[in-house]
Amino acid sequence: MIDKNIFLRIINNLSDSIIENKELLNELDRPIGDSDHGSNMVRGFTEVKKKLENVKESDFSTILKTIAMALISTVGGASGPLYGTSFLKASGAVVGKEELDEKDIIAVYEAVIDGIKYRGKSDKGQKTMLDAIIPAYEAFKACVENGGDLKKASDEAQKAAAEGVEYTKTIIAIKGRASFLGERSIGHADPGATSSYIILKSIASVLNE
Amino acid sequence: MVGIVVVSHSRKLAQEIIEFSMEMAQMDIRVINAGGTSDERFGTDATIIMNAIQKADDGSGVVVLVDLGSSIMSANMAIEFLDEDLQKRVFIADAPIVEGAISAISQASIGSSLEEVKKSAERAKEYSKK
Ligand SMILES: Nc1ncnc2c1ncn2[C@@H]1O[C@H](COP(=O)(O)OP(=O)(O)O)[C@@H](O)[C@H]1O
Ligand SMILES: [Mg+2]
């Protein structure tokens, strides 16, 4: 079960992981973008940490909505409305919950994926964050269906996300700025898929502490 | 009169597009710059766009011109944040930002309807450069 305490640790931990990986994410955004994915995300998650202080007594849904609004108004790049929509949809998926179990997390994954597809008019195989998140969701769900707990499932999820990032190196970008490069986008990992992997990895690491 | 909102990744670029397009305006209309971020970087911010739409509307509706990527996503998000009544009279023009702004602004400035202004902006897509 994810209680309030663990939940807040997850949010703080994933924000810190993004902040620590600023240069890596900017570097990945250099060859196929405009070198700002790290800076965008760090601005967003620095604001998230600030706003979190005011709402940490609130329920999951309110906290997730606050995170969404912080991202929407500070990130600036495409990742802003995309991650913003993700957290907004996640907020809707946990209304009234005081603890989150495996099933709730599956519902959150589904809300997040629907949100990104809707906002980005995108799907998997287009070299975006969805190529990390969708495999992670599938691995998480399969693990739970086979009797795995949150720890195990979140670990399987982050491994699948890592493989998803590797996969983005082999495909052409169809969505986002990188799509302007066509064939030249092959050979590079997608920055957004990488930031999603970093987030999923930090969630798994808190759950496995 | 129909209001216009211009959303570019750059506030300065949006400003120049507005000033350039206003040369064609027959009358003063509400054209609001919703480009850039609150800290003056390249990028977009759904809350800035939402406020701009509210300012641009006098009850006749608003046509939004966007450039690429996050401009489109942030503009869509901004529209979802508006109250339902206003939502119904806001459209993102499926048009190139410069040509679309020129068409939309000149059309809006002669008092045309929301539908006409949107159509006029989208006709700019067919403007040939051959
Ligand atoms: N339409 C889309 N659907 C899903 N993800 C997208 C889409 N467009 C861009 N992205 C993601 O956003 C990332 C780029 O984010 P960022 O650099 O912050 O924004 P920008 O491209 O505006 O500079 C990409 O690596 C990709 O994963
Ligand atoms: Mg970028």
Side-chain angles (χ1 to χ4, degrees):
Chain A
M1 281 295 195
I2 298 178
D3 62 13
K4 188 59 170 297
N5 214 336
I6 301 178
F7 181 77
L8 290 174
R9 282 223 319 276
I10 288 176
I11 302 298
N12 270 308
N13 199 273
L14 70 84
S15 303
D16 290 339
S17 304
I18 290 293
I19 292 167
E20 282 158 24
N21 283 286
K22 176 178 173 180
E23 293 314 322
L24 169 76
L25 295 173
N26 278 340
E27 212 44 60
L28 288 169
D29 199 23
R30 195 179 306 281
I32 59 169
D34 53 353
S35 322
D36 65 357
H37 186 55
S39 304
N40 288 344
M41 294 291 284
V42 167
R43 229 178 1 258
F45 282 93
T46 305
E47 183 70 11
V48 163
K49 286 188 71 171
K50 228 190 272 166
K51 289 279 154 68
L52 194 60
E53 283 305 304
N54 311 327
V55 293
K56 58 186 181 198
E57 309 299 329
S58 308
D59 59 5
F60 291 149
S61 183
T62 306
I63 295 175
L64 289 169
K65 190 167 179 196
T66 305
I67 295 172
M69 295 316 293
L71 295 175
I72 288 160
S73 55
T74 56
V75 171
S79 51
L82 289 163
Y83 279 119
T85 302
S86 302
F87 279 94
L88 212 49
K89 297 287 179 182
S91 151
V94 300
V95 174
K97 303 271 178 195
E98 295 192 347
E99 285 182 326
L100 304 175
D101 64 12
E102 290 79 2
K103 283 219 166 58
D104 297 322
I105 300 302
I106 290 175
V108 167
Y109 263 113
E110 288 170 353
V112 164
I113 291 167
D114 284 352
I116 296 173
K117 284 183 175 177
Y118 167 74
R119 181 66 60 214
K121 301 192 168 64
S122 43
D123 211 329
K124 65 176 175 181
Q126 298 179 328
K127 200 178 180 99
T128 72
M129 49 181 71
L130 286 173
D131 291 311
I133 301 172
I134 292 176
Y137 158 67
E138 288 166 351
F140 187 96
K141 195 166 172 226
C143 180
V144 170
E145 279 165 1
N146 288 315
D149 62 1
L150 264 177
K151 286 185 183 185
K152 182 98 181 15
S154 63
D155 203 45
E156 295 294 313
Q158 65 94 8
K159 281 184 204 148
E163 284 164 23
V165 170
E166 285 305 306
Y167 167 66
T168 63
K169 293 181 183 167
T170 68
I171 56 177
I172 293 189
I174 311 283
K175 289 285 167 179
R177 213 179 267 284
S179 65
F180 289 100
L181 276 75
E183 296 266 336
R184 280 185 291 134
S185 65
I186 296 178
H188 303 283
D190 179 60
T194 308
S195 60
S196 291
Y197 159 66
I198 289 168
I199 289 172
L200 291 167
K201 191 172 124 190
S202 82
I203 294 173
S205 87
V206 171
L207 292 175
N208 282 283
E209 266 167 19
Chain B
M1 270 192 285
V2 172
I4 308 290
V5 169
V6 180
V7 184
S8 162
H9 277 64
S10 152
R11 191 194 307 276
K12 284 190 204 154
L13 179 56
Q15 195 53 39
E16 289 298 322
I17 291 170
I18 291 170
E19 282 170 27
F20 179 51
S21 309
M22 284 303 273
E23 298 272 288
M24 302 268 296
Q26 301 302 307
M27 262 189 290
D28 236 10
I29 58 165
R30 294 192 202 190
V31 184
I32 313 285
N33 182 346
T37 64
S38 56
D39 54 354
E40 301 296 333
R41 287 172 302 105
F42 292 137
T44 57
D45 175 342
T47 54
I48 292 179
I49 302 170
M50 179 187 71
N51 292 330
I53 294 171
Q54 287 166 337
K55 255 206 250 167
D57 179 56
D58 68 0
S60 323
V62 177
V63 171
V64 185
L65 277 308
V66 295
D67 58 10
L68 58 154
S70 78
S71 294
I72 306 167
M73 291 191 263
S74 293
N76 273 312
M77 202 158 197
I79 293 172
E80 289 164 25
F81 290 153
L82 297 169
D83 64 52
E84 259 177 61
D85 183 46
L86 178 52
Q87 248 179 51
K88 286 186 203 135
R89 51 175 196 272
V90 181
F91 292 103
I92 297 174
D94 181 11
I97 190 165
V98 179
E99 291 84 344
I102 293 170
S103 308
I105 288 174
S106 73
Q107 191 76 46
S109 75
I110 56 170
S112 299
S113 70
L114 179 59
E115 192 51 39
E116 285 170 320
V117 174
K118 176 175 174 270
K119 258 207 204 128
S120 163
E122 294 186 343
R123 252 199 323 270
K125 224 172 27 173
E126 286 146 35
Y127 175 75
S128 164
K129 298 180 187 179
K130 266 207 276 210

